[in-house]
Amino acid sequence: SQQGEEDPQALSIQEGENATMNCSYKTSINNLQWYRQNSGRGLVHLILIRSNEREKHSGRLRVTLDTSKKSSSLLITASRAADTASYFCATDVSNYKLTFGKGTLLTVNP
Amino acid sequence: DTGVSQDPRHKITKRGQNVTFRCDPISEHNRLYWYRQTLGQGPEFLTYFQNEAQLEKSRLLSDRFSAERPKGSFSTLEIQRTEQGDSAMYLCASSWGPGNQPQHFGDGTRLSIL
């Protein structure tokens, strides 16, 4: 079953714009992770945010976590064509098993 | 490159045949995971090893599926008597430590059942 659900399912923006993706989940978590997947490839880990953290940054990425609302957001600033990919949130409730949503397909147009 | 390696990248086989996939994790990682991903979906957990011990198996892993991790290094996933519904991308990941660590994924094995 899907624990996390990303919103929107698809997002199309112009290069240089910011992209925001949201994730909602149902149960208490240990941490929440964001991954990127290019077509036909494996997943690349972007950011892990623990349940006691509210915000983390990594380069052009900013992740927030609101455990009271059971939601997270991923912001990509100054997007590039190379950011085109599917983005998944994954929740960790067991310290080993990740439960993924269906992902957001981001298209960045040059 | 010392990332997670999976072999083969693609496998096409006829229904009813057996297939085996291999995963070589990042060398210092003690944990290894198998996931399955179908088109338009996120990965779904199949099973997990800590060193050589298989600690959990999903209900998705029917008795036709078996996974091993001898000596706590590489892992194999075997599917016996393949069915059309087994067509998917099979992803392997590894991580280090007791938890709260990112999982590092390989590029997967895409299985197509004719």
Side-chain angles (χ1 to χ4, degrees):
Chain A
S1 64
Q2 302 283 350
Q3 152 83 312
E5 292 291 336
E6 292 90 346
D7 173 65
Q9 291 187 336
L11 180 60
S12 181
I13 60 174
Q14 296 301 122
E15 214 166 19
E17 294 180 340
N18 296 342
T20 299
M21 287 159 269
N22 302 297
C23 171
S24 59
Y25 58 92
K26 299 174 184 174
T27 64
S28 296
I29 60 173
N30 294 320
N31 64 72
L32 184 145
Q33 304 182 33
W34 285 91
Y35 287 83
R36 184 187 74 224
Q37 185 177 37
N38 291 90
S39 181
R41 302 296 299 272
L43 283 81
V44 174
H45 181 263
L46 298 176
I47 288 185
L48 181 153
I49 186 164
R50 292 177 170 76
S51 60
N52 61 352
E53 298 175 313
R54 292 297 168 256
E55 187 172 313
K56 286 190 83 168
H57 297 255
S58 176
R60 294 183 296 112
L61 307 180
R62 171 178 170 256
V63 167
T64 62
L65 179 64
D66 187 334
T67 53
S68 66
K69 295 181 179 178
K70 292 186 171 59
S71 67
S72 174
S73 68
L74 170 66
L75 169 67
I76 304 174
T77 59
S79 62
R80 306 166 181 169
D83 294 328
T84 294
S86 291
Y87 291 80
F88 294 91
C89 72
T91 52
D92 180 351
V93 302
S94 59
N95 276 334
Y96 61 88
K97 177 169 65 178
L98 294 179
T99 304
F100 289 83
K102 293 184 179 181
T104 292
L105 177 59
L106 174 66
T107 302
V108 182
N109 301 299
Chain B
D1 182 74
T2 56
V4 177
S5 175
Q6 292 189 245
D7 182 71
R9 288 293 313 278
H10 304 274
K11 180 71 176 178
I12 301 173
T13 191
K14 293 182 179 179
R15 187 179 55 186
Q17 298 295 304
N18 299 342
V19 294
T20 300
F21 312 139
R22 177 181 171 120
C23 171
D24 287 273
I26 294 172
S27 58
E28 62 268 27
H29 285 180
N30 60 340
R31 294 183 163 196
L32 186 146
Y33 315 81
W34 286 98
Y35 292 84
R36 181 172 69 188
Q37 185 178 26
T38 54
L39 203 61
Q41 302 292 318
E44 292 179 292
F45 173 83
L46 292 179
T47 190
Y48 145 67
F49 291 85
Q50 181 155 312
N51 300 311
E52 66 275 9
Q54 188 174 18
L55 297 185
E56 183 166 332
K57 293 170 59 173
S58 163
R59 285 174 294 177
L60 293 174
L61 219 62
S62 75
D63 56 6
R64 296 184 298 107
F65 288 71
S66 63
E68 295 182 342
R69 193 184 182 197
K71 303 178 183 177
S73 56
F74 73 92
S75 176
T76 58
L77 177 67
E78 180 183 16
I79 309 174
Q80 295 183 328
R81 306 181 304 281
T82 52
E83 301 173 355
Q84 292 279 353
D86 296 332
S87 294
M89 175 82 90
Y90 290 84
L91 294 162
C92 176
S94 69
S95 70
W96 169 251
N100 267 334
Q101 298 295 326
Q103 296 184 16
H104 299 268
F105 283 78
D107 278 339
T109 294
R110 180 165 295 284
L111 174 64
S112 298
I113 307 297
L114 301 178

